[in-house]
Amino acid sequence: WYQRRVRADDGSATCSCCDPAVPISENTERLGEEKLAGTSAVSGNVFFMRQTVGNACGTVGILHSLLNNSKVISVGETLKKFQSECLNVDPLQRASLLENSEDIACKHAAAASSGQTAAPSADEKVNLHFVSFVSVDGNMYELDGRKPSAISWGPCESEELLSKAALACQRYMACDPDEMRFTVVALSKID
């Protein structure tokens, strides 16, 4: 059902990443921790950063998605510069670079003010959290800025990402089958 909504009827659209908003519960947190504990290696080509600002998971999720796909998605000069600054620093230092980037802050504020929904304040308690699923070097990774590293979900070529991310989303949904608040955003390119 995800595939029909993202792929064009002629199959020409390819999914670059999926960003689900997952309800935060003991069950979903347990699944995330189990997957993290089972992650033995992460490709050095995965762009991952920590989330150190409250309620910035959407921003961090979209940055994870864009910067792990910057070879196929035009990210613009501001994000190219940010990605370059992040090359040789750890995930916490990347978060600090994000916090101190005036360029990204200005673009973020402009985008946020044009939206339809008011963003929660940084200290407001929310119970939904955006993560990102990307395929890098033949593996699918869940990128959750609250975690210390990327989480491997196993082998996944880029053309399999949509179906495998849908399965991962279904695993999260099964954690709380009565929960109705679940959203997925997919970035795709029409070939």
Side-chain angles (χ1 to χ4, degrees):
W1 49 280
Y2 287 106
Q3 201 159 11
R4 281 193 296 273
R5 292 188 180 172
V6 175
R7 283 185 132 344
D9 289 339
D10 64 359
S12 63
T14 55
C15 181
S16 298
C17 60
C18 288
D19 295 335
V22 179
I24 298 171
S25 71
E26 286 182 27
N27 295 333
T28 58
E29 292 297 292
R30 188 176 314 113
L31 175 58
E33 291 302 324
E34 288 170 4
K35 294 304 288 184
L36 178 61
T39 298
S40 58
V42 174
S43 167
N45 293 323
V46 173
F47 178 89
F48 176 76
M49 63 187 293
R50 296 294 303 273
Q51 178 188 332
T52 54
V53 175
N55 293 331
C57 60
T59 300
V60 171
I62 202 71
L63 287 173
H64 279 145
S65 296
L66 292 171
L67 296 178
N68 278 291
N69 286 285
S70 62
K71 291 180 178 153
V72 294
I73 297 173
S74 176
V75 297
E77 291 305 314
T78 300
L79 290 185
K80 281 183 192 175
K81 178 182 173 209
F82 177 71
Q83 188 173 31
S84 176
E85 292 169 352
C86 290
L87 277 178
N88 297 310
V89 299
D90 67 38
L92 274 173
Q93 291 170 311
R94 289 174 177 177
S96 180
L97 288 169
L98 176 63
E99 287 180 42
N100 294 306
S101 172
E102 288 186 32
D103 288 343
I104 292 176
C106 288
K107 290 184 184 298
H108 181 272
S113 67
S114 67
Q116 298 174 352
T117 306
S121 66
D123 56 353
E124 186 177 332
K125 184 160 174 51
V126 296
N127 58 2
L128 290 171
H129 182 69
F130 273 101
V131 299
S132 182
F133 286 100
V134 298
S135 175
V136 177
D137 293 340
N139 281 294
M140 183 171 77
Y141 294 97
E142 176 183 347
L143 307 175
D144 179 345
R146 299 173 305 154
K147 306 285 192 259
S149 71
I151 300 168
S152 176
W153 279 74
C156 176
E157 295 302 325
S158 58
E159 59 274 2
E160 301 173 296
L161 178 62
L162 185 58
S163 60
K164 291 198 174 186
L167 291 173
C169 290
Q170 288 172 339
R171 289 266 316 267
Y172 274 113
M173 293 169 79
C175 288
D176 294 303
D178 294 330
E179 177 63 68
M180 299 304 294
R181 296 168 301 144
F182 196 87
T183 303
V184 178
V185 175
L187 297 181
S188 63
K189 175 184 177 222
I190 297 176
D191 297 328

